[in-house]
Amino acid sequence: MKRILFIVLSSLLILVGCTPTNDNQEPTTTEIKSQVTPVNTMVSSLVFSELKLSKSSNEMFDKTEQKKNELYRLQLAIKNISEDNILISAAQFKALTSGGKYIRNFPTLDELGQAVEAKKQITEKIYFALPKGQTIEKIIYEDKDRAAYQEWKVSSK
């Protein structure tokens, strides 16, 4: 009887240990007092709106990066007003830091990278890893294939 109980409990522990986990948890964010302007912008058949910049959790960094970098998240809504699907990715965005350097996006699993269907709107996120003590001065979108360019100024409220 003890053997059967041991086998059942061992099997149960193995099953519990093998259950899938949700590794795609959204990092926690704390809002910073930044305003991205202009709020609504049309750029080559895309309407960008609801731009919100926030300081994000550094859980995506390894321990050495956590000491020297801070993670910022830009959330925005993108509406395609054309009759065609438009490809857009986080790699088309960069940030100008208060240190005068351009920073490319910090790649994550849940970042922007898809086709925006005709006449549809999506809400997506883009991450930037900045050296500690610096802030984002501007957000820049540039799509060389479609000759689209836009800058948004970031200011404290």
Side-chain angles (χ1 to χ4, degrees), residues 29-32 52-56 71-75:
T29 59
T30 53
E31 291 297 319
I32 56 172
K52 296 176 187 166
L53 183 65
S54 59
K55 196 171 183 179
S56 189
L71 193 63
Y72 287 81
R73 179 180 79 174
L74 175 68
Q75 186 166 336

Side-chain angles (χ1 to χ4, degrees), residues 106-124:
F106 181 79
T108 63
L109 291 176
D110 66 338
E111 72 180 357
L112 172 65
Q114 65 191 56
V116 182
E117 294 179 25
K119 306 293 183 187
K120 299 282 182 171
Q121 179 171 324
I122 60 171
T123 301
E124 291 293 330

Side-chain angles (χ1 to χ4, degrees), residues 42-48 78-88 115-121 141 143 146:
M42 187 166 111
V43 181
S44 185
S45 301
L46 293 174
V47 177
F48 295 91
I78 305 167
K79 183 176 183 178
N80 180 356
I81 59 172
S82 74
E83 299 293 327
D84 299 317
N85 294 350
I86 297 176
L87 293 173
I88 188 166
V116 182
E117 294 179 25
K119 306 293 183 187
K120 299 282 182 171
Q121 179 171 324
Y141 165 71
D143 184 352
R146 297 178 56 244

Side-chain angles (χ1 to χ4, degrees), residues 17-31:
C18 294
T19 57
T21 60
N22 186 5
D23 291 337
N24 295 335
Q25 295 176 350
E26 176 129 353
T28 57
T29 59
T30 53
E31 291 297 319

Side-chain angles (χ1 to χ4, degrees), residues 55 58 61-72 97 103 106 128-135:
K55 196 171 183 179
N58 284 1
F61 293 142
D62 62 24
K63 292 189 184 214
T64 56
E65 281 187 279
Q66 286 181 5
K67 292 178 183 175
K68 60 182 182 176
N69 291 326
E70 289 182 305
L71 193 63
Y72 287 81
T97 68
I103 304 288
F106 181 79
F128 298 100
L130 273 66
K132 282 202 173 187
Q134 293 189 21
T135 58

